[in-house]
């Protein structure tokens, strides 16, 4: 596994993520979004799947997790709970699972929040940490649309 996420299937939102901070200099992966088939029901694969290529019916999928359509025209960015830039290799790709994403105000996500995520990298290195464990979380509202 790449990181741990506590996920609310009813609210279709991650509550928190725990991971080892392991940034690298590789660029952000392309904006391919993944789903978690195991959340749909028994018999689902344990491996994430490309959302656009899955054979799972979209309505069944949307019962247990967020899908890209949820973000279409809603005015919110897809905000990473576990930021991709805090990871490396396959773990960086795994952060593009929609179960690691929350609706986030565009201005915040591209502005102060991005600066905050980037500042963590410098702090962990400056402190001389050999290994840094991170826990990030959300404060879900009661709005469902």
């Amino acid at each position: 596994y790449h990181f741990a996420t506590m996920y609310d299937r009813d609210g279709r939102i991650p509550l928190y993520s725990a991971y080892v901070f392991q940034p690298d200099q590789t660029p952000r992966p392309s904006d391919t979004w993944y789903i978690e088939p195991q959340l749909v029901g028994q018999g689902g694969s344990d491996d994430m799947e490309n959302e656009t290529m899955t054979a799972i019916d979209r309505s069944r999928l949307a019962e247990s997790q967020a899908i890209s359509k949820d973000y279409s025209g809603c005015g919110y960015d897809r905000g990473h709970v576990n930021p991709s830039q805090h990871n490396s290799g396959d773990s960086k790709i795994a952060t593009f699972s929609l179960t690691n994403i929350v609706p986030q105000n565009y201005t915040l996500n591209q502005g102060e929040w991005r600066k905050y995520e980037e500042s963590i990298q410098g702090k962990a290195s400056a402190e001389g940490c050999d290994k840094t464990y991170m826990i990030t979380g959300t404060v879900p509202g009661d709005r469902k649309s």
Side-chain angles (χ1 to χ4, degrees):
Y1 295 100
H2 303 285
F3 53 91
T5 300
M6 182 176 190
Y7 192 79
D8 176 357
R9 287 183 63 204
D10 294 331
R12 301 182 321 132
I13 191 167
L15 301 176
Y16 72 83
S17 181
Y19 58 97
V20 177
F21 180 75
Q22 297 176 320
D24 66 13
Q25 299 305 315
T26 60
R28 175 186 168 116
S30 66
D31 279 345
T32 299
W33 295 98
Y34 298 92
I35 53 94
E36 302 290 344
Q38 68 274 23
L39 293 179
V40 175
Q42 292 186 344
S45 170
D46 286 342
D47 296 323
M48 63 185 192
E49 293 180 6
N50 183 316
E51 182 189 23
T52 61
M53 303 187 68
T54 187
I56 301 170
D57 178 73
R58 293 283 183 265
S59 61
R60 284 195 61 223
L61 193 58
E63 290 173 5
S64 62
Q65 59 196 284
I67 57 175
S68 287
K69 183 179 176 188
D70 295 328
Y71 291 90
S72 179
C74 73
Y76 289 96
D77 264 7
R78 293 175 179 111
H80 285 79
V81 177
N82 174 355
S84 66
Q85 67 190 34
H86 289 188
N87 293 272
S88 60
D90 288 344
S91 293
K92 185 174 278 197
I93 294 167
T95 66
F96 284 82
S97 167
L98 286 160
T99 59
N100 182 49
I101 302 300
V102 294
Q104 191 171 30
N105 175 280
Y106 172 83
T107 304
L108 176 63
N109 193 28
Q110 301 303 319
E112 293 302 314
W113 193 254
R114 177 173 288 212
K115 289 178 192 174
Y116 171 73
E117 289 175 351
E118 291 169 353
S119 75
I120 303 262
Q121 290 180 277
K123 288 179 183 175
S125 300
E127 296 294 326
C129 299
D130 292 331
K131 192 175 260 191
T132 303
Y133 297 91
M134 304 289 286
I135 298 176
T136 58
T138 62
V139 181
D142 57 4
R143 191 171 144 193
K144 298 290 184 196
S145 57

